[in-house]
């Protein structure tokens, strides 16, 4: 058995705009997906998970995910999860040159699915790392990030940036602009995360932003403004000025809302955090539902979110210094 883990992430700035070549700054957080892989003697892929924020599913298939597993969970989430695992294994087979390799894959994750915390990237990175090692191949982080990116690209109909997968593979705070991905220094940031219990469909949300951008010049300008904001945010991050970082997060949330990717519950959580005195707050990830991230070193935002109807859970998140970890 080989086993790897990889972290989830929050976006300090820049989601969605990063798809169009603008810079973004995601930060890996200490919430992980762990994937165990055992090579099989046949070409079958068997996936088991009790902890993908689903009620537990096991599915066995030898070709693709064509047959949907019969489980009590939102079908689109299960299909999405299965699509990512399926494509990750296709990448593994290709990189190892073993087209017929079969695997038993076990996934555990403390990152809610589709909630903006990079669950799919973490599962994909950990799965590719564990499965390649099961075939005797060790990928460097850059190659691992590349294969994970190709997985997301295939599953999301060619609409994905390198941000989530690079951040999960390497850990820490990163800056991504097109193909240029690098680690950056970041101070200890007091992240508070609020989760509404829901999820967004990344592919549909990314497509929605693309339609707006194609239709309206001012939507394209909004995407450009997010890029300007991120460039400013990088300087502020270096200086560790939490007040201005927070202001920029507030601004970034407004621009994302203008692009149609916020929701009532995300807005409610953002406003609850701001009212509680957070330096700033914004949705994180694709949006539509899921998580917000706020900056607050005091307990006030956590308390406010805990009592907010519609906020299902709230927690602090530490920056994850490590990306992928080899556990076995
Ligand atoms: C999703 O976590 C982040 C998006 O920017 C899509 C992507 O970068 O691939 C919305």
């Amino acid at each position: 058995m080989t086993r790897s883990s990889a972290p989830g992430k929050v976006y300090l700035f820049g989601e969605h705009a990063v798809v169009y070549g603008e810079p973004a700054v995601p930060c890996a957080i200490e919430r992980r997906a762990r994937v165990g892989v055992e090579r099989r003697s046949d070409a079958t892929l068997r996936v088991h998970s009790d902890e993908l924020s689903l009620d537990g599913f096991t599915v066995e298939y030898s070709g693709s995910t064509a047959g949907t597993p019969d489980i009590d969970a939102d079908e689109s989430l299960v299909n999405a999860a299965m699509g990512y695992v399926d494509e990750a294994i296709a990448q593994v087979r290709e990189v190892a040159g073993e087209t017929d390799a079969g695997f038993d894959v076990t996934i555990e994750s403390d990152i809610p699915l589709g909630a903006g915390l990079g669950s799919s990237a973490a599962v994909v990175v950990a799965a590719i790392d564990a499965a390649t090692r099961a075939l005797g191949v060790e990928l460097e982080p850059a190659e691992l990030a590349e294969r994970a990116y190709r997985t997301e690209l295939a599953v999301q109909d060619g609409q994905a940036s390198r941000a989530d997968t690079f951040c999960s593979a390497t850990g820490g705070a990163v800056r991504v602009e097109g193909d240029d991905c690098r680690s950056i220094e970041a101070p200890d940031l007091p992240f508070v995360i609020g989760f509404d219990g829901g999820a967004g469909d990344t592919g549909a949300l990314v497509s929605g932003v693309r339609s707006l951008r194609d239709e309206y010049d001012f939507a394209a300008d909004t995407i450009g403004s997010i890029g300007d904001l991120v460039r400013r945010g990088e300087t502020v991050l270096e200086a560790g000025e939490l007040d201005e970082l927070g202001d920029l997060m507030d601004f970034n949330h407004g621009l994302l809302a203008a692009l149609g990717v916020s929701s009532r519950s995300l807005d409610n959580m953002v406003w609850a955090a701001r009212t509680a005195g957070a330096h700033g707050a914004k949705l994180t990830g694709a949006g539509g539902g899921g998580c917000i991230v706020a900056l607050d070193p005091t307990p006030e935002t956590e308390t406010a979110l805990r009592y907010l109807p519609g906020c299902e859970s709230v927690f602090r998140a530490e920056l994850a210094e490590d990306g992928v970890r080899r556990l076995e």
Side-chain angles (χ1 to χ4, degrees), residues 35-51:
V35 180
V37 174
E38 196 89 61
R39 184 168 188 173
R40 293 176 62 92
S41 54
D42 58 21
T44 307
L45 175 58
R46 188 172 186 280
V47 182
H48 176 76
S49 177
D50 290 329
E51 294 184 62

Side-chain angles (χ1 to χ4, degrees), residues 286-301:
C291 293
I292 64 138
V293 56
L295 285 188
D296 190 352
T298 79
E300 301 299 323
T301 295

Side-chain angles (χ1 to χ4, degrees), residues 9 11 14-16 18-19 152 156 159-161 163-164 202 206 285-286:
K9 57 103 227 322
Y11 272 90
E15 54 274 87
H16 283 289
V18 70
V19 174
E152 288 215 332
Q156 292 168 205
Q159 304 194 91
S161 73
D164 290 24
T202 300
V206 170

Side-chain angles (χ1 to χ4, degrees), residues 18 21-26 163 166-167 172-184 227 230-231 234:
V18 70
E22 300 292 349
V25 179
F166 181 77
C167 185
V174 307
R175 178 191 196 275
V176 172
E177 183 171 11
D179 292 341
D180 179 22
C181 304
R182 56 184 74 180
S183 299
I184 57 173
V230 178
R231 282 181 274 272
E234 286 173 70

Side-chain angles (χ1 to χ4, degrees), residues 213-230:
R213 176 178 173 269
D214 290 347
E215 188 166 355
Y216 301 118
D217 288 348
F218 48 81
D221 292 345
T222 303
I223 289 169
S225 297
I226 293 177
D228 293 341
L229 181 154
V230 178

